[in-house]
Amino acid sequence: MTIRPKDFTKVVHAGVEPDPRTGAIMTPIFQTSTYVQEAPNVHKGWDYSRAGNPTRDALEEAFAALEGAKHGLAFSSGLAAEQAIIQILKPGDHVLVCDDVYGGTGRLFRRLFAKYDIHFEFLDMTQVEQVKAALRPETRLIWVETPTNPLLKVIDIQAMSALAKSKGALLVVDNTFASPIYQSPLELGADIVMHSTTKYIGGHSDIIGGAVMINDTKLYEEIKFVQFAAGAVPGPFESFLLLRSIKTLAVRMEKHSINAQAVAQFLQGHPRVAEVFFPGLSHHPQHALAAKQMRGYSGMVSFNLKGSYEDVVTFLQRLKVFALAESLGGVESLVNHPEKMTHASVPEDMRRKLGIGPNLIRLSCGIESAEDLVADLLEALR
Ligand code: P1T
């Protein structure tokens, strides 16, 4: 499992050209809402920053380069990116969604878009036959998050792509957990890739953002129209911060994954830990698939702690390096309690069925020293 050497180079240069006017090596922050025109609708290519902004244009090129896509689109959050994808559908359409998605994704589909008569069906996509059986003539999208949040199930992108194609549906992959460094869904047959760039792509817990990457130009134009017409775009400063972050994405991912592997192996051997979820462990049910479709296992580890909920809270409060907070993918390590935090909006019966209970803890391993992370966990497990 290794990062492709060319990806270290790609991330440094993705989307960025020296500024033609000044030679500035970094893309300037074009902090402007509008552009002066020579005559009505005669201008230098930009007329209004909801439609386009040079800093955002550079970011969108960088997004495309990261996923090896023809086109990239930037949004003001991961959920705004998801919303724009769903808004290409029409009432009556059917969407198959993997059961273990980020709580906010499920909430967007169940509570907002279900009102517009779009039918979302959640199911365990590690079971390919079940997905096949659930396809209907009106199925327009198969929505996959892999690895999943928070249980780190791994879904076969090629198998899902074949099923989508058999019905003329589109395959969307939320690639947030793997990052473009460790997984390339478009190469495996996905039609649309999306990211919460709040996570690994941003990497410093200081921005909220989203990305969509696509090869098909017609599909790109459809989603770009939603971006323009509805307007959930990032500002120039956020766009600049993301361009800056992308340069270190490969080196950060390498350290995140080394740390997560060390943390998962440590937890697996600890007597107070009941079960560890990490695709890089040989006992993980989809370990072989992960080894095939990913180039690394990324930085997320979940586990069940033995004992009562009070024991879990004591453990969370004892941690010093891991901060108790929502989100993931930043340079600093975070710990999250999915049942009460990120996945509180998942219906209770679904949470129970999935195994998101009071004892489940999710770790986002940062880029600190692996020894310090393990020592922090060991001390909190005393
Ligand atoms: O928060 P936002 O940038 O809107 O992205 C939503 C989102 C989409 N997809 C995945 C896989 C995600 O993990 C998220 C956001 N997740 C968290 C905030 C979290 O702590 O899991």
Side-chain angles (χ1 to χ4, degrees):
M1 301 297 278
T2 47
I3 296 175
R4 297 184 294 208
K6 66 178 174 101
D7 284 352
F8 286 100
T9 310
K10 180 164 81 180
V11 293
V12 173
H13 299 284
V16 180
E17 294 279 347
D19 177 46
R21 195 169 70 87
T22 61
I25 196 158
M26 265 310 283
T27 307
I29 305 170
F30 287 92
Q31 195 73 40
T32 189
S33 60
T34 194
Y35 306 81
V36 174
Q37 309 199 5
E38 288 154 36
N41 207 25
V42 179
H43 49 72
K44 294 184 163 65
W46 295 273
D47 58 358
Y48 188 60
S49 279
R50 171 162 38 72
N53 173 283
T55 317
R56 195 176 95 217
D57 293 351
L59 177 64
E60 293 184 331
E61 267 187 44
F63 284 165
L66 284 180
E67 289 288 1
K70 268 205 199 119
H71 308 287
L73 287 166
F75 290 89
S76 54
S77 69
L79 286 176
E82 295 182 17
Q83 179 174 3
I85 296 167
I86 299 298
Q87 281 176 327
I88 67 171
L89 303 182
K90 58 181 192 323
D93 284 346
H94 176 241
V95 181
L96 291 174
V97 187
C98 66
D99 53 5
D100 188 42
V101 281
Y102 165 56
T105 300
R107 180 175 54 211
L108 177 70
F109 294 173
R110 280 190 199 93
R111 297 211 19 218
L112 200 68
F113 280 116
K115 278 201 303 213
Y116 300 97
D117 199 32
I118 296 171
H119 304 277
F120 296 92
E121 189 176 338
F122 293 78
L123 70 174
D124 180 0
M125 291 195 174
T126 63
Q127 307 302 308
V128 178
E129 287 308 311
Q130 281 181 27
V131 182
K132 189 172 180 187
L135 285 164
R136 300 185 202 160
E138 62 275 22
T139 307
R140 276 288 313 279
L141 289 185
I142 298 183
W143 190 285
V144 168
E145 195 182 286
T146 181
T148 64
N149 181 0
L151 291 164
L152 298 154
K153 296 199 262 188
V154 177
I155 296 163
D156 189 334
I157 296 171
Q158 277 177 320
M160 291 304 124
S161 164
L163 289 181
K165 285 197 170 64
S166 76
K167 293 283 170 191
L170 298 172
L171 175 64
V172 182
V173 175
D174 182 337
N175 203 23
T176 300
F177 267 37
S179 90
I181 298 300
Y182 285 138
Q183 185 166 268
S184 301
L186 294 175
E187 290 173 18
L188 299 169
D191 300 286
I192 302 174
V193 173
M194 59 106 354
H195 286 267
S196 166
T197 58
T198 315
K199 317 301 178 206
Y200 288 111
I201 293 179
H204 297 72
S205 307
D206 53 8
I207 55 119
I208 299 280
V212 171
M213 294 82 158
I214 306 168
N215 279 328
D216 184 84
T217 301
K218 192 170 157 282
L219 191 56
Y220 161 73
E221 294 293 349
E222 272 183 82
I223 300 177
K224 188 176 166 62
F225 176 74
V226 179
Q227 181 204 42
F228 162 66
V233 291
F237 185 56
E238 275 78 6
S239 299
F240 171 83
L241 284 177
L242 280 161
L243 283 169
R244 190 181 210 264
S245 295
I246 287 169
K247 293 175 186 296
T248 56
L249 182 61
V251 288
R252 284 187 282 111
M253 291 315 299
E254 192 166 42
K255 184 67 173 139
H256 284 300
S257 93
I258 289 170
N259 285 357
Q261 187 79 39
V263 160
Q265 275 163 2
F266 160 75
L267 289 171
Q268 193 182 24
H270 197 283
R272 287 196 59 204
V273 172
E275 197 182 355
V276 183
F277 307 95
F278 180 67
L281 291 176
S282 58
H283 79 256
H284 184 284
Q286 295 94 38
H287 175 64
L289 172 62
K292 188 171 126 222
Q293 94 177 358
M294 302 176 76
R295 295 183 289 276
Y297 302 110
S298 204
M300 301 300 295
V301 180
S302 295
F303 67 102
N304 276 312
L305 188 70
K306 290 180 188 163
S308 65
Y309 176 63
E310 287 65 38
D311 294 331
V312 170
V313 174
T314 303
F315 166 79
L316 295 173
Q317 290 175 339
R318 278 181 184 161
L319 288 166
K320 292 200 172 75
V321 183
F322 286 89
L324 180 62
E326 305 219 1
S327 203
L328 60 111
V331 290
E332 60 289 282
S333 293
L334 300 180
V335 60
N336 163 53
H337 188 269
E339 186 199 40
K340 293 244 186 283
M341 294 166 65
T342 51
H343 292 72
S345 64
V346 178
E348 202 185 326
D349 57 332
M350 181 116 171
R351 271 204 314 259
R352 203 169 311 122
K353 204 177 112 213
L354 286 168
I356 302 175
N359 292 55
L360 184 70
I361 293 167
R362 189 192 76 183
L363 301 175
S364 169
C365 300
I367 62 165
E368 303 94 335
S369 104
E371 290 73 30
D372 287 342
L373 298 187
V374 167
D376 195 37
L377 293 166
L378 182 65
E379 173 59 20
L381 286 167
R382 72 180 186 270

